Amino acid sequence: MRIGELARLTGVSPRSLRWYGEQSLLRETRTSGGHREYDDDAVDRVQAIQVLFAAGVPARHVAGILPCYDTGTTTPAMVARLEEERTRLRAQAAELAATLQRLDEMVAETRLRLLAA
Amino acid sequence: MRIGELARLTGVSPRSLRWYGEQSLLRETRTSGGHREYDDDAVDRVQAIQVLFAAGVPARHVAGILPCYDTGTTTPAMVARLEEERTRLRAQAAELAATLQRLDEMVAETRLRLLAA
DNA sequence: GTAAGAGCTGACATACATGTCAGGTTCAAG
DNA sequence: CTTGAACCTGACATGTATGTCAGCTCTTAC
C-alpha cells in the first residue's frame, strides 16, 4: 500500500511515516517513480511503534525493541529491553500518582486559603 | 537569602531559579550590587512550582494558578484552574495505565514469538 | 495526453525547562 | 585591600516527534 492509505489506516501522518522510514523503524520499498510502498504488516508495526512512543520510548531505541523489521527475528534481548521499558513506565506511573496526590493537597490548601480570606 | 542557598534548599539549579524570576513566577529583590535576594517563602513557592511542572503545567500557566506572588492573594479562579489541572492529570494517569497494559501485551506477545522460533 | 490528486524532497519551526560557557562583577572574610 | 567564592548577564544548545510550506514529480482515470 502507499503512504496515504497507511496514514489513513493508522491515524499517523504521512510526514511521520516518512520519518519512521528514515529512522529505519519501518521498511519501505519504492515504486519505479520513487513512491513508497508498504507491506500489510506495516499497519501493526506502526501501531506497535505508537505504543512504544506513548510509553516514552525514544525512536532510537525502538529499532532494538521491535522484532527485526526485515527478518521478523525476535531475540531474548528484545524481551529484556521491553521489560525494562515496562519497569520504567511503572515507575513513571507511580511518580505520576505521587504528583497527583501532591496536586490534591495543593487544591485542598488553596481552598482553605480562599475560605480564610 | 541568595540564589545559592535557595538552590541548595530546593534542589533547583540557580539557572532555573533565575529563569523563574524572568517568568515572574518568583519574586526577587536585588542587593545594591545586583545580586538576587529571596524571602524565606520562596522555598515553598519553588516547591509548588516544581509540583506543577511535574504535573505538566507549563510555566506560562503557573502564574495564574499560584497565589499572587507579591500580595499572596488567592482567588476562586485559581482553585478552578488547579482543579482543571488535576482533572487533566487524572486523565493522563489513566492513559498511562492503558499504555502500560498495551506494553504488557507486547511483552507477552514477544515472549510467545520467541518461544515459537 | 491531460488533469487532478497523491507523493516526493528539503528546510524551517515548535515547545520548554534546563545545561553550560564565557567574560565580567560583587561579596565577605582575612 | 586582597582574594576566592558566589553571582551577574547573555548566548547557544538540548531532545523529539510532528506540523507546515514550497516547488516539483508521479500516478491514474478519463
Side-chain angles (χ1 to χ4, degrees):
Chain A
M1 83 193 73
R2 268 165 305 163
I3 201 168
E5 191 180 357
L6 184 55
R8 194 175 46 73
L9 290 176
T10 58
V12 173
S13 73
R15 170 70 179 82
S16 295
L17 295 175
R18 286 187 198 107
W19 189 77
Y20 295 176
E22 267 174 42
Q23 307 302 307
S24 302
L25 304 184
L26 198 55
R27 188 174 35 156
E28 47 189 36
T29 55
R30 298 297 184 116
T31 66
S32 56
H35 285 196
R36 289 169 179 79
E37 284 249 66
Y38 300 93
D39 289 348
D40 289 352
D41 311 16
V43 175
D44 282 351
R45 180 124 186 146
V46 169
Q47 280 163 355
I49 291 169
Q50 291 279 292
V51 171
L52 293 177
F53 283 177
V57 180
R60 65 180 181 286
H61 291 165
V62 170
I65 287 175
L66 255 37
C68 188
Y69 82 133
D70 40 23
T71 68
T73 310
T74 301
T75 69
M78 280 168 198
V79 179
R81 289 195 206 101
L82 212 42
E83 282 173 348
E84 271 174 42
E85 295 298 345
R86 182 169 58 176
T87 301
R88 197 188 42 68
L89 197 61
R90 279 193 183 136
Q92 195 182 323
E95 264 188 53
L96 196 57
T99 300
L100 194 50
Q101 195 171 350
R102 272 181 257 129
L103 202 54
D104 281 344
E105 285 160 21
M106 266 176 78
V107 170
E109 264 182 50
T110 307
R111 275 209 188 111
L112 283 182
R113 253 200 315 263
L114 191 57
L115 283 179
Chain B
M1 84 191 74
R2 269 166 304 162
I3 201 167
E5 192 180 356
L6 184 55
R8 196 176 42 76
L9 291 176
T10 58
V12 173
S13 74
R15 170 69 180 83
S16 294
L17 294 175
R18 287 187 197 109
W19 188 77
Y20 295 177
E22 268 173 41
Q23 307 301 308
S24 302
L25 303 184
L26 199 54
R27 188 173 34 157
E28 48 188 36
T29 55
R30 299 297 185 116
T31 66
S32 57
H35 286 196
R36 288 170 181 81
E37 284 250 67
Y38 300 95
D39 288 349
D40 289 354
D41 311 14
V43 176
D44 282 350
R45 179 126 187 144
V46 169
Q47 280 162 355
I49 291 170
Q50 292 277 294
V51 171
L52 292 177
F53 284 177
V57 179
R60 67 180 179 286
H61 292 165
V62 169
I65 287 175
L66 255 38
C68 187
Y69 82 133
D70 39 24
T71 68
T73 310
T74 301
T75 68
M78 280 168 198
V79 179
R81 289 195 206 100
L82 212 42
E83 283 174 345
E84 270 172 42
E85 297 297 347
R86 182 170 57 176
T87 301
R88 196 187 43 67
L89 196 61
R90 279 193 183 137
Q92 195 182 324
E95 264 188 52
L96 197 57
T99 299
L100 193 51
Q101 195 172 349
R102 271 181 258 129
L103 203 54
D104 281 344
E105 285 160 21
M106 265 175 81
V107 170
E109 263 181 52
T110 307
R111 275 209 188 111
L112 283 181
R113 250 198 319 262
L114 191 57
L115 284 180

